[in-house]
Amino acid sequence: MGTVVDDAASVEFHDFFERHYAELARLAHLLTGEPDAADDLAADALLALWHRWDRVRAADHPVAYARGVVANLARTRIRGAVRERRRIALFWSHREEKTENPDVAGVVDVQGALRRLPFRKRACVVLRHAFDLSEKDTALALGVSVGTVKSQTSKGMAELQRLLGTEATSRRVRAAAMATPAADSEGRNR
């Protein structure tokens, strides 16, 4: 008997999907302004609906419920994009424009060593030592606690010292950051 209900629910959901997917994708597109994200948001919303299909199909207005799920997912996506833009702005706001006569070999060594660090350690080291951000600003930029910034920076610097030698590692990281060209708004190097 359970299989019949499951089959009926599956058929009903498939019909709901076919009738409303395009509308939900259009809604997502209009809410986010991102045509590429619209299909993903609609699919994510429908997946969430499928997981709660017994409750959704019992609702007075299942389509209204679905629209609400899309709106919530779009809001979450927009908030995430705003946070990311703030992090990027904070990251680049402290950057000096030029470095005279950079130590190219040193820059290559530091960049190679940085690439060997896990992302969070690398991000903490770069923000703290290359961009002179405070622990609090680094935590804000990465969305982690100040304690995490402290531990990841310490561990990252220790690993860099092991990889590069003990010769003023933080100075070398800063010099490498200053010698690395910044990307413009279209992703090209200046």
Side-chain angles (χ1 to χ4, degrees):
M1 194 68 136
T3 307
V4 173
V5 173
D6 291 343
D7 288 344
S10 179
V11 167
E12 188 177 82
F13 178 79
H14 181 74
D15 182 53
F16 182 88
F17 181 97
E18 292 294 324
R19 283 185 290 129
H20 299 290
Y21 176 80
E23 172 193 347
L24 295 174
R26 242 185 350 266
L27 174 62
H29 179 194
L30 292 170
L31 291 175
T32 63
E34 300 176 26
D36 295 337
D39 285 333
D40 291 342
L41 287 174
D44 289 347
L46 286 161
L47 179 62
L49 292 173
W50 171 245
H51 289 297
R52 301 188 233 12
W53 186 243
D54 288 338
R55 195 174 344 150
V56 173
R57 74 182 188 176
D60 291 334
H61 302 286
V63 176
Y65 187 88
R67 290 180 189 134
V69 172
V70 169
N72 286 335
L73 289 172
R75 182 182 308 114
T76 300
R77 183 175 183 86
I78 290 166
R79 285 180 180 163
V82 167
R83 279 193 303 273
E84 185 64 20
R85 282 188 209 111
R86 285 182 186 150
R87 289 177 185 149
I88 290 169
L90 182 61
F91 183 81
W92 289 107
S93 68
H94 296 287
R95 185 173 174 85
E96 293 180 21
E97 293 300 318
K98 294 181 184 178
T99 298
E100 297 291 326
N101 302 321
D103 174 11
V104 176
V107 169
V108 170
D109 290 345
V110 170
Q111 288 176 342
L114 283 170
R115 277 192 296 274
R116 293 179 66 184
L117 295 178
F119 176 78
R120 187 173 285 172
K121 286 180 188 173
R122 182 181 343 143
C124 288
V125 167
V126 169
L127 290 172
R128 291 284 293 127
H129 293 284
F131 290 89
D132 280 332
L133 292 186
S134 68
E135 290 168 341
K136 182 179 176 185
D137 287 341
T138 301
L140 177 65
L142 297 176
V144 298
S145 71
V146 171
T148 298
V149 169
K150 288 179 182 181
S151 70
Q152 293 295 296
T153 302
S154 175
K155 292 174 183 175
M157 289 302 290
E159 196 165 335
L160 284 176
Q161 287 174 346
R162 184 183 60 75
L163 293 168
L164 296 170
T166 58
E167 177 201 329
T169 303
S170 65
R171 181 181 52 75
R172 291 177 72 187
V173 170
R174 181 173 320 206
M178 295 305 143
T180 302
D184 65 18
S185 63
E186 295 177 10
R188 296 181 305 248
N189 287 339
R190 287 189 217 171

